[in-house]
């Protein structure tokens, strides 16, 4: 009496053992690697993206050498009255991008500061930790660009404040949405006497 496998291809992975005239086929597999410890698992995880890794670095000196004069690159006394698409620089609408590690809030105001429209990652449908990702910030910026174009706003100034993954992604989203960005101002507040950081987490 013999027990035979019905699939011929699998016979190579089965071993035959005879015991008192009875043949048994049983499957053998390689030694399974032991589960990794928690520390090894945490060490193998990729570093958290804070919005700076992998971003393209702009070489300012190379840009200046391509320009005919420095006045086109950096602001001067006449920049406030310089026309961009027929609008003086001082009267251009301002796009404020408030970035944190948990969310990205984008508002469009006129040159006096009156808010015209506001969007955030939460309003776009991103929930919980997904609100703090650079993809959510980019999608929110693209949506804001569409609303601004419908409102008649094409050329804007950008004011960025805060640190988080959505800093560069929000600006890229505005460009992808069809907005003409004239200037980018970083107003992130820097503390010269910061509070003591938390102790390192032990895993």
């Amino acid at each position: 009496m013999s027990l035979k496998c019905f699939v011929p291809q699998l016979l190579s992975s089965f071993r035959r053992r005879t015991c008192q005239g009875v043949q048994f086929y049983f499957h053998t597999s390689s030694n399974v690697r032991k589960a990794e410890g928690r520390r090894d698992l945490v060490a193998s995880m990729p570093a958290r993206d804070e919005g700076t890794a992998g971003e393209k670095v702009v070489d300012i000196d190379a840009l200046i050498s391509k320009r005919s004069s420095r006045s086109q690159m950096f602001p001067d006394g006449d920049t406030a009255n310089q026309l961009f698409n027929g609008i003086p620089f001082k009267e251009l609408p301002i796009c404020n991008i408030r970035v944190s590690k948990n969310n990205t809030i984008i508002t469009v105001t006129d040159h006096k500061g009156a808010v015209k429209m506001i969007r955030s990652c939460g309003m776009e449908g991103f929930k919980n930790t997904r609100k703090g990702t650079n993809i959510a910030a980019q999608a929110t910026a693209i949506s804001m660009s569409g609303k601004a174009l419908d409102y008649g706003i094409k050329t804007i100034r950008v004011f960025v404040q805060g640190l988080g993954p959505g800093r560069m992604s929000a600006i890229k989203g505005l460009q992808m949405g069809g907005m003409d960005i004239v200037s980018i101002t970083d107003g992130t507040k820097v503390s010269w006497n910061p509070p003591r950081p938390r102790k390192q987490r032990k895993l």
Side-chain angles (χ1 to χ4, degrees):
M1 172 180 170
S2 64
L3 301 174
K4 293 185 178 180
C5 180
F6 294 105
V7 183
Q9 299 92 310
L10 296 178
L11 284 176
S12 60
S13 64
F14 282 76
R15 290 186 179 179
R16 184 175 63 186
R17 171 120 359 140
T18 305
C19 180
Q20 296 178 356
V22 179
Q23 293 182 345
F24 296 97
Y25 290 90
F26 61 95
H27 179 69
T28 59
S29 61
S30 60
N31 294 333
V32 180
R33 185 181 171 189
K34 292 184 178 179
E36 296 180 344
R38 182 167 175 78
R39 289 191 180 186
D40 296 336
L41 183 64
V42 172
S44 65
M45 291 178 62
R48 183 177 178 183
D49 181 18
E50 294 297 337
T52 56
E55 296 292 347
K56 183 179 178 183
V57 179
V58 179
D59 188 3
I60 299 296
D61 295 332
L63 289 175
I64 294 173
S65 62
K66 292 180 181 179
R67 304 270 180 158
S68 59
S69 65
R70 284 178 176 262
S71 61
Q72 297 179 358
M73 186 71 187
F74 297 103
D76 54 16
D78 298 329
T79 303
N81 297 320
Q82 187 176 352
L83 296 178
F84 294 91
N85 290 340
I87 305 172
F89 180 82
K90 60 184 179 182
E91 297 181 4
L92 286 174
I94 303 170
C95 180
N96 296 285
I97 302 175
R98 180 72 175 91
V99 186
S100 68
K101 65 178 183 178
N102 295 323
N103 202 354
T104 302
I105 303 172
I106 304 175
T107 58
V108 174
T109 67
D110 59 9
H111 65 283
K112 296 180 181 179
V115 177
K116 300 296 183 182
M117 58 193 75
I118 183 171
R119 298 294 293 176
S120 69
C121 296
M123 296 171 66
E124 287 297 314
F126 295 94
K127 301 297 181 184
N128 303 329
T129 56
R130 296 180 184 271
K131 293 191 298 183
T133 60
N134 48 8
I135 298 173
Q138 184 172 333
T140 305
I142 293 173
S143 174
M144 175 61 82
S145 299
K147 292 183 177 296
L149 291 173
D150 294 341
Y151 199 80
I153 298 174
K154 173 74 173 174
T155 307
I156 58 170
R157 295 181 281 168
V158 173
F159 184 83
V160 184
Q161 186 174 5
L163 296 173
R167 281 172 61 89
M168 295 298 295
S169 301
I171 298 174
K172 290 178 182 178
L174 292 174
Q175 288 180 330
M176 291 170 61
M179 304 296 289
D180 292 335
I181 299 175
V182 172
S183 69
I184 300 174
T185 305
D186 190 353
T188 304
K189 296 179 180 179
V190 179
S191 174
W192 299 106
N193 185 23
R196 182 175 177 178
R198 297 178 64 180
K199 65 180 180 180
Q200 187 175 5
R201 185 181 175 190
K202 296 180 181 179
L203 298 175

